[in-house]
Amino acid sequence: DQQVKQNSPSLSVQEGRISILNCDYTNSMFDYFLWYKKYPAEGPTFLISISSIKDKNEDGRFTVFLNKSAKHLSLHIVPSQPGDSAVYFCAASVDSGGSNYKLTFGKGTLLTVNP
Amino acid sequence: SQTIHQWPATLVQPVGSPLSLECTVEGTSNPNLYWYRQAAGRGLQLLFYSVGIGQISSEVPQNLSASRPQDRQFILSSKKLLLSDSGFYLCAWSAFSGQPQHFGDGTRLSIL
């Protein structure tokens, strides 16, 4: 049972436009969500996170939106740059007693930003 | 700043051979440490995590084991590799609260 789903395996956008990556989850106990970016032959790099007490978190060109009722989150990249081309993973965790160790990952979405 | 080192980057092993992958973290004390695997076409799956020396929690029953002999050292081992052990293995660390986790560059393991 896949608890974190990224239904689009790939996405292609033009440089300067907005990239929107989507993620759905099924476990209502998830209360902390993260986005990672991964280049080939490298490990994932943490991008941005959001707690379930918020519905939006922004860091520079990256904004994550959380819709708890829909069990949906999205990552917006504005403006998109060719260097953003990578695989993006959505991940979620459950806070148990103030610590949350287990990350459940989606399968990733390959973003290609065309010059 | 904190850094995480993982080696080797690639490894080709025959079925039935042993395995030892090592991961070390610098620039922090008492980190939480994690081993993940990404099989072909799958997301990252947590295999083991450790909150302290000698403390190992296993998430998935399998042919692998983990050990933490020192505060910032995490080792993934197997006595006899199976074909199904092929994949991309990632080590990660986090502060005590658990998140976010920061990953090494991984080891691509191929079993022949």
Side-chain angles (χ1 to χ4, degrees), chain A residues 58-69:
Chain A
E58 191 171 353
D59 183 2
R61 296 186 297 114
F62 302 91
T63 303
V64 55
F65 295 92
L66 176 62
N67 183 333
K68 290 186 289 293
S69 60

Side-chain angles (χ1 to χ4, degrees), chain A residues 2 32 34 36 38 41-46 49 87 89 92-93 95 98-108, chain B residues 32 34 36 38 41-46 49 51 59 88 90 94 96-106 108:
Chain A
Q2 196 177 352
Y32 191 74
L34 308 90
Y36 284 83
K38 183 182 180 305
E42 293 184 9
T45 302
F46 169 69
S49 62
V87 177
F89 289 99
S93 70
D95 187 339
S99 58
N100 44 7
Y101 304 123
K102 181 175 180 178
L103 278 180
T104 301
F105 282 84
K107 291 185 179 181
Chain B
N32 294 336
Y34 310 82
Y36 285 84
Q38 183 179 20
R42 310 281 295 273
L44 278 70
Q45 181 183 38
L46 178 64
Y49 70 89
V51 300
E59 285 293 312
F88 189 52
L90 288 156
S94 73
F96 72 94
S97 63
Q99 303 301 345
Q101 295 176 17
H102 303 278
F103 288 82
D105 283 338
R108 176 73 59 190

